[in-house]
Amino acid sequence: MTQNTPWYKDAVFMELNTRAYKDSNGDGWGDLPGLTSKLDYIKNLGVDAVWLLPIMPSPLRDDGYDVSDFCNIFPAYGSMDDFRTLMAEAHKRDLRIVVEIIPNHTSDQHAWFQASRDPNHPEHAKYRDWYVWSDTDQKYQGARIIFTDSETSNWSFDELRGQYFWHRFYSTQPDLNYDNEEVQQAMLDIVKFWIDAGADGLRVDAPPYLFEREGTNCENLPETHLFLKRMRKFVDEYSPETLLLSEANQWPEDVIEYFGDGDEMHMNFHFPLMPRLYMALAMGDRTPIEAILARTPDLPEGCQWGTFLRCHDELTLEMVTPEERQWMWDTYSPDPKQRINLGIRRRLAPLVDNDQRKILLLHSMLLTMVGSPFLYYGDEIGMGDNIELFDRNGLRTPMQWDESVNAGFSDAPTERLFAPVISDPVYGYQKVNVAAQETDPHSLLNEVRHLIAVRKQHPVFGRGDFNWRAFSFETKAVVAYQRKWEDTRIVVLNNLRDLPVKGWIPETAEKFIDVLTGETVLPGDFSLPPYGFRWLQPVGDKANIPSGPNAPQPGYLGSDKQ
Ligand code: GLC
């Protein structure tokens, strides 16, 4: 690693739910000591940094994103001491931990809101203006509703105070008032608290909505960026290694603002790319990926995209057109129960019919295309989901460790688990579990682990430039690109179709090393198997002019004659 490459540019991340990972005390809920006991598994998978879903006290009306105390641990997960032990054990293994902070809102159970809403509360005067209150529910009509399945307005009436309060998410999650300097300072104090507790990074939840202004859509406002820059300045001065990872679910033109001039967030997820990987796969055509990467601006120095296939939320279709959204719903969620808000609440394996070739192909693109990849716990073994559970909880079920009762997740009586383990015939823990896959060299777990290991041998994937390459004259079925960093080039070929594709390796070289298999490949005609992929490292610089029936013309990206 060169000295000035920030750690997150080379990192592979994994997002996980403490509650669902491992229960250490038999109460049916995963906890921090349980997670600590599984750090070796995470490390062996090749993960460098773990992003924890909210671990703070909460009434769980939005599964922890409704925080009732920002400086503490949800009791069932353990204590601050358990957190410090987790940090120490993680650092011993060279693993980093990213903690979730939720600046936009609190739970309505938070002491700040209780004081704010109640004129007779002893601290009412202090907290009166910490939330966005109004006598009318007609302000800020330009703001869209995000949880379209459950909310009809961004305002709710509070009987005690006799006013409406503003909330961009559930009505149990009042938005904080960032026009109040004390709120801004309180949030910076929370950032400091978690840095002091040892966190290596903070995932900044839902940043676009911090401020409200009449006549706007109340997203991405200049005031919001000013506050985020203030947060970054604080972090740079107090703990410059700490990562700020932002969740601005926006179009690339708007997201770029969250990086500022390299003085705002270090990372942001690339939300629009994600659904287009699925779109391209189902269409067998790379066009959607081409289109969104063409719209993706270069990042300022030191910044990085976070890429992902799935996460704890619905597969969001906010960043696609209405027609594309309908097509994605029809294609990937035939049962309306699989849909929620503007998305699809299914896990990776069920989305692609449990076809290991497709799961691996998606990982090939995730691990090589752009940015730093985020895995979602359980997807590495192909876990399923449970649409019978409320909201998006069906994607957050207990980790399936082995085939013993409760999937090895907990010793509690089964009826006391926080959520049932998946036990259907296809995705059930009896079949899909870590222990079974550890012993099978061709299991999804071992294949994913191999892909991650190879990615990590080649820093070009985290740091390099991206350039399209043409593989075939005949078809757009292949997503072919070169990554380049300093003297290293790797060309990646991904076949989106369930058919072999013939083409020409689009790179100048005497020969190529397939870095996934170690095989030598010669320039010239080449065939990719159905849903196959290759990561090829050119050796030597011999001209390799495409010719022959399968070759594209120089500079040609491919038409689609099929
Ligand atoms: C983010 C979280 C999501 C949560 C929402 C409101 O989008 O990822 O799970 O419901 O913020 O806090």
Side-chain angles (χ1 to χ4, degrees), residues 62 65 102 105 147 169 173 203 205-206 247 312-313 392 396:
D62 183 17
Y65 283 92
I102 295 106
H105 47 263
F147 286 167
F169 295 93
Q173 288 166 299
R203 183 215 188 232
D205 181 67
E247 188 225 11
H312 65 292
D313 285 330
R392 294 149 296 175
R396 306 169 185 174

Side-chain angles (χ1 to χ4, degrees), residues 15 51 53-54 62-66 100 102 104-105 146-147 168-170 173 203 205-206 209 247 249 271 311-314 318 341 391-392 396:
E15 174 192 2
W51 153 30
L53 287 171
D62 183 17
D63 212 25
Y65 283 92
D66 47 334
E100 180 92 42
I102 295 106
N104 182 65
H105 47 263
I146 296 170
F147 286 167
R168 290 308 300 271
F169 295 93
Y170 287 121
Q173 288 166 299
R203 183 215 188 232
D205 181 67
Y209 320 107
E247 188 225 11
N249 181 357
F271 275 94
C311 71
H312 65 292
D313 285 330
E314 66 273 35
E318 281 160 281
N341 303 320
D391 198 349
R392 294 149 296 175
R396 306 169 185 174

Side-chain angles (χ1 to χ4, degrees), residues 188-203:
L188 297 182
D189 292 346
I190 289 161
V191 168
K192 177 173 181 296
F193 176 88
W194 286 102
I195 294 174
D196 289 344
D200 300 294
L202 300 168
R203 183 215 188 232

Side-chain angles (χ1 to χ4, degrees), residues 220 225 229 252-261 264-265:
N220 315 318
H225 288 293
K229 284 186 165 62
E253 307 76 89
D254 295 320
V255 165
I256 191 70
E257 301 291 330
Y258 287 83
F259 297 101
D261 295 322
E264 208 168 306
M265 303 283 107

Side-chain angles (χ1 to χ4, degrees), residues 4-71:
N4 52 10
T5 300
W7 64 268
Y8 46 83
K9 283 212 158 195
D10 293 319
V12 172
F13 289 79
M14 181 197 245
E15 174 192 2
L16 68 79
N17 188 3
T18 302
R19 174 159 21 118
Y21 215 57
K22 176 69 186 169
D23 171 16
S24 72
N25 61 1
D27 66 356
W29 291 56
D31 45 45
L32 294 171
L35 166 58
T36 306
S37 73
K38 292 296 185 185
L39 289 177
D40 285 334
Y41 168 77
I42 294 170
K43 179 75 187 170
N44 285 339
L45 186 56
V47 168
D48 302 292
V50 178
W51 153 30
L52 301 179
L53 287 171
I55 51 174
M56 301 155 185
S58 160
L60 301 185
R61 302 297 297 274
D62 183 17
D63 212 25
Y65 283 92
D66 47 334
V67 176
S68 52
D69 176 359
F70 281 107
C71 299

